[in-house]
Amino acid sequence: MARPDKAAAVAELTDLFRESNAAVLTEYRGLTVAQLKKLRVALRGNATYAVVKNTLTAIAAKEAGLTGLDDELAGPSAIAFVTGDPVEAAKGLRDFAKANPALVIKGGVLDGRALTAADVNKLADLESREVLLAKAAGAMKAKLYQAAYVFTANTAQAARVIDALRQKQESEGAAA
């Protein structure tokens, strides 16, 4: 029979897994409380960072319908539950891990798909959502401009030909 406090912890973790669009599993062995506080501040707005118990996390992940975390749940574990932009959260974790080598990114989950540590680093290498949207908008604008140019090219060319003929007739009429 499960103890009520453990059942409540599993229910809370299950809710966090369901509400977040991504989760990044890390090992924090060797980090001080002050460093963990800095990490939480760096992730604020995009993610919440919580130290978790491996057994309870495995149960909560199964209840939330997530697979792929069981192999990574060993040693002292903490999870960044991402509710904002996953790219920004991955960048924050990667940058903090570079500054503090004791933080090890083990893997994660993005939209129900398991991620390896390399996948999380690739995600961190992506540009932010706003930059990608701006690039897509610029590409669409360029294509629309090209289409407009193609549609008006024939009429503009015809207008130039007609103007050249008019000028030629005027010059021939003045010469005669």
Side-chain angles (χ1 to χ4, degrees), residues 27-43:
E27 182 178 319
Y28 64 94
R29 185 186 330 238
L31 291 177
T32 64
V33 173
Q35 289 172 325
L36 287 174
K37 186 175 180 180
K38 285 181 186 178
L39 177 59
R40 285 186 176 104
V41 168
L43 293 176

Side-chain angles (χ1 to χ4, degrees), residues 99-159:
N100 301 289
L103 181 74
V104 177
I105 298 173
K106 295 182 186 180
V109 176
L110 176 64
D111 293 329
R113 185 180 149 260
L115 300 174
T116 63
D119 292 337
V120 174
N121 285 328
K122 285 180 187 176
L123 186 65
D125 290 338
L126 286 176
E127 293 173 333
S128 70
R129 183 176 187 270
E130 290 78 19
V131 171
L132 292 174
L133 288 174
K135 284 185 176 184
M140 286 189 278
K141 181 180 176 185
K143 290 297 180 187
L144 289 174
Y145 178 78
Q146 288 173 348
Y149 179 76
V150 167
F151 292 138
T152 61
N154 290 336
T155 56
Q157 185 179 8

